Amino acid sequence: MASDNTSYERLLSRPGPSNRRDSVQSGDRKHLQHDETNEKDLPSQECGPYIRSQLASMCARHTLARRLPITQWLPQYTWNFFLHDLMAGLTVGMTAIPQGIAYAVVAGLEPQYGLYAGFMGSFMYVFFGSTKDITVGPTAIMALMTQTYVLNYGPDFAVLLTFLSGCMITLFGLLQLGFVVDFISMPVTIGFTSAAAITIATSQLKGLFGLKGKTDKFLDSLVNFFEHIHEAHLWDALLGISTIVALLLMQKLRIFRVKGNPQGQQVSSARRIFGNIMWLISLARNAIVVFFGIGLSYVLYLNGHTPFSLTGKIAEGFPPFEPPPFSTVFKNETYSFVEMTSALGSSIIAIPLISILESIAIAKAFSKGKAVDATQEMIAIGLGNIAGSFVRSMPITGSFTRTAVNNASGVRTQAGGIFTGLLVIGALGLLTSTFFFIPKATLSGLIMTAMFFMIDYDVVSLLWRTKRIDLIPLGATFVFCLLLGLEYGMIVGIAVNLLILLYHSARPPVDMKWTVINGCNVLLVAPAQSLAFPSAEYVREVIVADCNLHRDESQQSAVIIDGANLLYIDSTVAKVVKLLSEDLKVLEVPIFLWRWPPAVTQTLLGIDPKMKPLFKNGPSVDLVINDLENCVRHDVEGLTDEDTSVSMMNGIHHVP
């Protein structure tokens, strides 16, 4: 398949109607120069408008290609692509249907809401998505973050939250605020997802063992489990645990698939067919365990036995197409739009941010080295949520599990989402009565198994070997997500990360070393990075303290600050450097600013032009020290205060 930028590259590489060169001198557009051929074709006075029209046309096409990616891949679509997308879309759909039902249960919604959320986002991503592998729909984290509002205020709040989240995500995309995600570091992200996985897994203990009670938070789930463990249903527990074991075993079946000829050995057709069958079973394992549970429950039901807790009745047919609810009634209490948004509170910002984080992280993981257009991904996810809210969808975003299945199934374009969405719609129209017999223990086992793979067990040892301080934001995020909830835990993690970042900014690494050069005792100071105002006073205090501690009264001393790494300083740093020179003047220690870039030099001279003699740009430190040796020795006592100041600024003042 051609790359996403093929159309744009072809547009740029196509020869234009002319190869003229335009030069505008002193703002006079009458001095436009053209090639002879073009001068015959185009009057000189018309070149300016012509160029502008061509550039406008190019920009319009480029913008259309970026903001509507379907225009890039659809003209090159083939039957081969269609077959691959059809297979991948149906395979993903077989995973999306049971997961959607399961995540609706996690969110406290009726099971059909998970199917409502499974098709509109897929359709919108076909037109606006920029990564072929991404599949959009309900996820475990979105479900868990929605659960509190559903349990307390009803399903209409989930639908409104979907609409508001979509508006926020789209706005972030239009304003190109994708950089906001960069403030959420890898340790914070891993701490968040791991805590979310554990929270979701513990919330499924109730369904796994057939228990009663409310389990919307980690601690609540554990307390509820131990309080009601004596009420556990044996058959639910056996089915749930068996589901987990079966899913883990089927996940391993993919190892039987053979690609190519390993180590040059010929592989028989039967061996390849067997391997491909095992691989397909592994991909469809979620659907397999669900339909097995349905079949088992139905057979027992026909024989008058109902040993399992069942999902129950699922609303038949398609969802109504209508605007999201801007007011609602729940438990005889009416909520206006203002009251609903007030009740949703911080989730209106938190859920969009988490949704963006999930989707962009997945896009980067499957981009295979290509640049990810974060702005376009946000627009696609945002519009998917907005459109979904018109069909009673819960909040959606990119799903890692289904994206991995999509990629493994060989999807070629975003069109795979069409077939996934159609399969979900087909399930809504034809299979809702069948879903009545889904055992809750099967869904709980499916969710818990998916959570096993969301926990990053190796990251702790990795950070211990590489950057141990990153364990602090990871641990803080993980613990507070479990204790306070995901939204507050994420805020705590980001705050801890920013505090560490600010600490490093305020205490930057500075290499300081005393050495003797040409008989002069020199303190070489080399900041490892650009300096900003939080670090200014720290660097000044360290240099002055070191000079007081190590300065030799019997030998000429000097301070040389190597500015080779200083690409930027602010006005506060410039002011502090001036104060540092005055501090060292009191200590009778000359200071030189060696190899400072011109832009940084101008910032300092803007504070005090008299600092110009401090700057030295020689190739070596020795030449800087030679300024001390080659100067004529003055009688310090005979100099005025002004002369002394000028002498020290030029580095010629010597301790007698």
Side-chain angles (χ1 to χ4, degrees):
M1 185 183 68
S3 66
D4 292 343
N5 295 322
T6 299
S7 301
Y8 182 47
E9 291 170 356
R10 185 177 300 162
L11 178 66
L12 293 181
S13 62
R14 185 181 63 193
S18 66
N19 292 320
R20 60 190 173 278
R21 298 182 303 273
D22 300 341
S23 62
V24 182
Q25 298 177 359
S26 304
D28 187 0
R29 297 183 178 272
K30 295 181 180 180
H31 295 287
L32 292 170
Q33 300 177 357
H34 316 281
D35 290 347
E36 295 179 0
T37 303
N38 297 317
E39 288 179 353
K40 297 177 183 178
D41 299 336
L42 206 62
S44 61
Q45 64 269 22
E46 295 180 3
C47 284
Y50 181 82
I51 294 171
R52 288 194 293 272
S53 66
Q54 289 298 307
L55 289 175
S57 175
M58 184 186 302
C59 292
R61 295 182 190 179
H62 175 43
T63 301
L64 179 64
R66 289 188 63 191
R67 296 297 167 244
L68 201 62
I70 191 174
T71 60
Q72 298 182 41
W73 55 264
L74 187 59
Q76 304 163 25
Y77 204 71
T78 65
W79 278 106
N80 183 43
F81 288 0
F82 172 82
L83 294 176
H84 280 85
D85 290 343
L86 174 62
M87 178 64 185
L90 295 178
T91 304
V92 172
M94 294 295 288
T95 302
I97 291 171
Q99 280 194 343
I101 294 173
Y103 294 149
V105 173
V106 171
L109 294 164
E110 295 178 3
Q112 67 268 17
Y113 279 86
L115 299 179
Y116 295 165
F119 63 90
M120 190 62 81
S122 296
F123 292 153
M124 296 300 292
Y125 197 84
V126 171
F127 293 92
F128 298 98
S130 62
T131 306
K132 67 179 179 66
D133 300 291
I134 293 288
T135 60
V136 177
T139 67
I141 294 178
M142 290 291 101
L144 183 62
M145 297 185 72
T146 307
Q147 183 190 67
T148 300
Y149 306 102
V150 174
L151 296 179
N152 293 331
Y153 303 105
D156 282 350
F157 275 74
V159 179
L160 180 62
L161 184 57
T162 303
F163 175 76
L164 296 177
S165 297
C167 292
M168 292 298 298
I169 296 169
T170 305
L171 181 63
F172 286 170
L174 295 176
L175 296 178
Q176 298 186 3
L177 298 180
F179 69 91
V180 174
V181 182
D182 295 336
F183 287 93
I184 305 177
S185 67
M186 182 268 288
V188 173
T189 302
I190 292 177
F192 172 83
T193 54
S194 297
I198 292 176
T199 302
I200 294 168
T202 54
S203 71
Q204 297 308 303
L205 290 172
K206 178 180 71 172
L208 192 70
F209 291 92
L211 306 178
K212 298 179 180 179
K214 184 178 178 181
T215 57
D216 57 337
K217 293 183 180 180
F218 171 70
L219 294 179
D220 292 341
S221 299
L222 289 181
V223 171
N224 183 77
F225 174 73
F226 287 110
E227 285 182 349
H228 297 88
I229 187 62
H230 60 280
E231 302 173 2
H233 294 178
L234 176 61
W235 293 111
D236 282 325
L238 287 176
L239 180 60
I241 294 173
S242 299
T243 299
I244 293 174
V245 173
L247 286 169
L248 292 175
L249 291 176
M250 283 191 285
Q251 196 268 342
K252 299 293 184 181
L253 293 179
R254 66 182 63 188
I255 64 175
F256 292 104
R257 191 185 189 194
V258 180
K259 292 184 178 181
N261 295 317
Q263 300 178 354
Q265 299 176 359
Q266 291 295 328
V267 181
S268 66
S269 298
R271 174 70 179 83
R272 289 187 185 279
I273 293 173
F274 173 77
N276 288 333
I277 292 174
M278 294 297 102
W279 174 70
L280 288 174
I281 292 175
S282 177
L283 285 180
R285 60 186 180 276
N286 289 333
I288 290 173
V289 296
V290 169
F291 282 107
F292 175 82
I294 291 174
L296 181 61
S297 299
Y298 182 68
V299 170
L300 292 173
Y301 176 79
L302 291 178
N303 288 276
H305 302 289
T306 54
F308 310 123
S309 301
L310 302 180
T311 299
K313 183 176 177 58
I314 297 179
E316 297 182 0
F318 307 111
F321 187 84
E322 59 186 13
F326 296 110
S327 63
T328 187
V329 177
F330 182 68
K331 293 183 178 179
N332 298 323
E333 187 170 351
T334 302
Y335 295 90
S336 65
F337 176 72
V338 174
E339 292 171 333
M340 293 177 75
T341 54
S342 177
L344 292 173
S346 61
S347 65
I348 298 176
I349 297 295
I351 288 183
L353 285 177
I354 300 304
S355 178
I356 293 170
L357 178 64
E358 273 196 272
S359 186
I360 293 179
I362 295 169
K364 289 181 178 179
F366 288 89
S367 64
K368 296 181 179 179
K370 296 180 182 178
V372 174
D373 189 343
T375 295
Q376 188 59 33
E377 285 299 302
M378 287 189 287
I379 292 174
I381 298 298
L383 293 178
N385 275 279
I386 293 174
S389 67
F390 283 78
V391 291
R392 305 290 293 175
S393 169
M394 59 191 285
I396 59 174
T397 187
S399 164
F400 188 87
T401 302
R402 296 190 293 277
T403 298
V405 171
N406 204 25
N407 176 267
S409 302
V411 71
R412 293 299 183 89
T413 70
Q414 290 89 318
I418 295 176
F419 306 110
T420 299
L422 290 176
L423 188 61
V424 173
I425 290 177
L428 273 169
L430 302 174
L431 298 178
T432 49
S433 58
T434 303
F435 295 150
F436 175 91
F437 294 99
I438 299 177
K440 291 183 178 180
T442 297
L443 292 179
S444 294
L446 187 153
I447 295 170
M448 294 183 76
T449 306
M451 295 306 103
F452 293 160
F453 301 100
M454 283 182 59
I455 303 174
D456 195 336
Y457 304 97
D458 300 325
V459 69
V460 174
S461 60
L462 174 65
L463 294 180
W464 183 264
R465 294 194 308 269
T466 55
K467 196 73 172 178
R468 295 179 183 177
I469 196 171
D470 284 342
L471 291 171
I472 297 176
L474 186 148
T477 306
F478 181 79
V479 171
F480 282 98
C481 280
L482 291 178
L483 297 181
L484 302 180
L486 297 182
E487 298 172 37
Y488 298 109
M490 175 65 80
I491 294 173
V492 170
I494 294 174
V496 171
N497 222 154
L498 290 178
L499 287 175
I500 294 175
L501 189 64
L502 290 174
Y503 176 81
H504 286 306
S505 177
R507 296 294 183 269
V510 179
D511 184 19
M512 299 177 59
K513 179 175 65 176
W514 283 95
T515 186
V516 177
I517 301 176
N518 296 339
C520 182
N521 200 26
V522 177
L523 175 61
L524 292 176
V525 181
Q529 62 189 43
S530 297
L531 301 177
F533 66 91
S535 61
E537 284 296 337
Y538 166 75
V539 174
R540 174 190 175 192
E541 292 172 3
V542 168
I543 293 175
V544 172
D546 215 42
C547 285
N548 277 319
L549 185 63
H550 295 97
R551 185 167 64 92
D552 190 348
E553 295 287 350
S554 63
Q555 187 179 15
Q556 172 64 51
S557 298
V559 173
I560 297 178
I561 302 180
D562 184 359
N565 297 326
L566 298 178
L567 303 179
Y568 164 82
I569 64 170
D570 56 31
S571 58
T572 303
V573 175
K575 180 68 175 178
V576 170
V577 171
K578 180 182 184 311
L579 295 175
L580 174 63
S581 67
E582 295 175 355
D583 293 338
L584 296 179
K585 183 175 73 173
V586 173
L587 297 176
E588 299 180 334
V589 176
I591 180 174
F592 297 100
L593 307 179
W594 179 45
R595 301 195 302 181
W596 285 51
V600 179
T601 301
Q602 290 302 317
T603 303
L604 281 167
L605 294 180
I607 295 293
D608 186 359
K610 294 180 181 180
M611 298 178 68
K612 187 174 182 179
L614 299 181
F615 294 95
K616 303 295 178 182
N617 291 311
S620 67
V621 179
D622 299 47
L623 296 179
V624 177
I625 298 303
N626 284 341
D627 285 352
L628 290 175
E629 295 182 341
N630 296 334
C631 291
V632 179
R633 295 178 177 273
H634 293 273
D635 184 0
V636 179
E637 295 179 356
L639 296 175
T640 63
D641 291 342
E642 181 179 354
D643 292 334
T644 302
S645 175
V646 173
S647 298
M648 291 189 64
M649 293 293 284
N650 284 276
I652 64 173
H653 183 75
H654 294 269
V655 178

